[in-house]
């Protein structure tokens, strides 16, 4: 049972455009929502993360928007560049009894930025 | 500094064989996680170590899978009697005890069971 649903599966954007990826979750105990970027043959790398006490977080060209009541969050990539072409995963987690944070991932979105 | 390293990068084995996959976490990271990523999917949690003990192994699919971390650093994921369905990329991640939510992933081991 997938705890985090991600869409779209893939998207193509022109250089300089905006990429938007959406995720939805059901478990209201989740309190940490990271986004990971993965290039072929590499492990996922943490891009940006948010906690539910804020509705938006921006780091450079990457912005997370968070809607707690709707249980949805999204990643916006502004001024998309060819080097942004990768697979993006949203994830969610909650602290376990031993301060662990096992992540539940979405299925991923492959972003292609056309020059 | 050095990141999380995993060896081998690729492993091809035959159905029924035993395999070991190694993870070397970032120095000083006490928390270590194993995930499995099937083709076209996001990683799925397998097991979590805090120090030497397996604190949460709820994600292991069955008793053919086992992992150890005897000295609280390097971890080995062991798969017995491999099946074709075990083919996937096995990812390891580590984090600091005081910053448990930020996990750093290794490049993974791609396991192919023929």
């Amino acid at each position: 049972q997938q705890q985090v649903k991600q869409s779209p599966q893939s998207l193509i954007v022109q250089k300089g455009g905006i990429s938007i990826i959406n995720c939805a979750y059901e478990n209201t105990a989740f309190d940490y929502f990271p986004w990971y970027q993965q290039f072929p043959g590499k492990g996922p790398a943490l891009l940006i993360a948010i906690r539910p006490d804020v509705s938006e977080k921006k780091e450079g060209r990457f912005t997370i928007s968070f809607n707690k009541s709707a249980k949805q969050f999204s990643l916006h990539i502004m001024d998309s560049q060819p080097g942004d072409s990768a697979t993006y995963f949203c994830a969610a987690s909650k602290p376990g009894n031993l301060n662990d944070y096992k992540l539940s991932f979405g299925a991923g979105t492959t972003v292609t930025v056309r020059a | 500094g050095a990141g999380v390293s995993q060896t081998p990068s690729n492993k091809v084995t035959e159905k029924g064989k035993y395999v070991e996959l190694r993870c070397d976490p970032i120095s000083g990271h006490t928390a270590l996680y194993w995930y499995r990523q099937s083709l076209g999917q996001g990683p799925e949690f397998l097991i979590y170590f805090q120090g030497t003990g397996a604190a949460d192994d709820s994600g292991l699919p069955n008793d053919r899978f086992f992992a150890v971390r005897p000295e609280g650093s390097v971890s080995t994921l062991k798969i017995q009697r491999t099946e074709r369905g075990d083919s996937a990329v096995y990812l390891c991640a580590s984090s600091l005890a005081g910053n448990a939510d930020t996990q750093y992933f290794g490049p993974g081991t791609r396991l192919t069971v023929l």
Side-chain angles (χ1 to χ4, degrees), chain A residues 35-107:
Chain A
W35 285 88
Y36 281 82
Q37 180 188 55
Q38 186 175 33
F39 294 104
K42 305 291 186 183
L46 179 64
L47 194 60
I48 185 173
I50 198 169
R51 292 197 179 270
D53 53 342
V54 297
S55 60
E56 185 174 285
K57 183 175 181 180
K58 182 176 181 179
E59 289 184 1
R61 296 184 294 107
F62 301 91
T63 300
I64 300 179
S65 297
F66 186 83
N67 186 330
K68 187 174 181 179
S69 61
K71 292 185 286 186
Q72 295 176 347
F73 59 110
S74 60
L75 176 70
H76 295 228
I77 307 174
M78 314 299 286
D79 187 26
S80 296
Q81 299 297 311
D84 297 332
S85 297
T87 300
Y88 293 81
F89 293 95
C90 61
S93 73
K94 58 182 176 68
N97 294 333
L98 295 169
N99 199 33
D100 55 300
Y101 271 88
K102 55 186 181 187
L103 294 165
S104 296
F105 283 86

Side-chain angles (χ1 to χ4, degrees), chain A residues 5-20:
Chain A
K5 295 185 179 180
Q6 183 172 348
S7 63
Q9 187 175 9
S10 64
L11 67 90
I12 299 173
V13 63
Q14 290 296 122
K15 180 182 174 182
I18 302 173
S19 304
I20 301 174

Side-chain angles (χ1 to χ4, degrees), chain B residues 53-65:
Chain B
D56 183 348
D57 64 357
S58 62
L60 295 178
N62 51 61
D63 61 5
R64 296 186 298 105
F65 289 75

Side-chain angles (χ1 to χ4, degrees), chain B residues 30-94:
Chain B
T30 57
L32 186 147
Y33 301 79
W34 283 98
Y35 293 83
R36 180 168 70 173
Q37 186 173 21
S38 299
L39 191 63
Q41 299 297 317
E44 292 180 310
F45 169 79
L46 294 177
I47 187 169
Y48 161 70
F49 288 89
Q50 181 60 257
T52 59
D56 183 348
D57 64 357
S58 62
L60 295 178
N62 51 61
D63 61 5
R64 296 186 298 105
F65 289 75
F66 189 71
V68 296
R69 195 186 184 198
E71 297 178 358
S73 179
V74 171
S75 176
T76 303
L77 178 65
K78 308 181 180 193
I79 310 174
Q80 298 177 325
R81 304 183 305 280
T82 52
E83 300 178 357
R84 292 194 179 87
D86 299 335
S87 296
V89 175
Y90 289 81
L91 294 163
C92 175
S94 69

Side-chain angles (χ1 to χ4, degrees), chain A residues 15-37:
Chain A
K15 180 182 174 182
I18 302 173
S19 304
I20 301 174
I21 307 169
N22 300 298
C23 286
Y25 64 97
E26 287 298 325
N27 190 340
T28 55
F30 286 147
D31 73 346
Y32 176 68
F33 302 89
W35 285 88
Y36 281 82
Q37 180 188 55

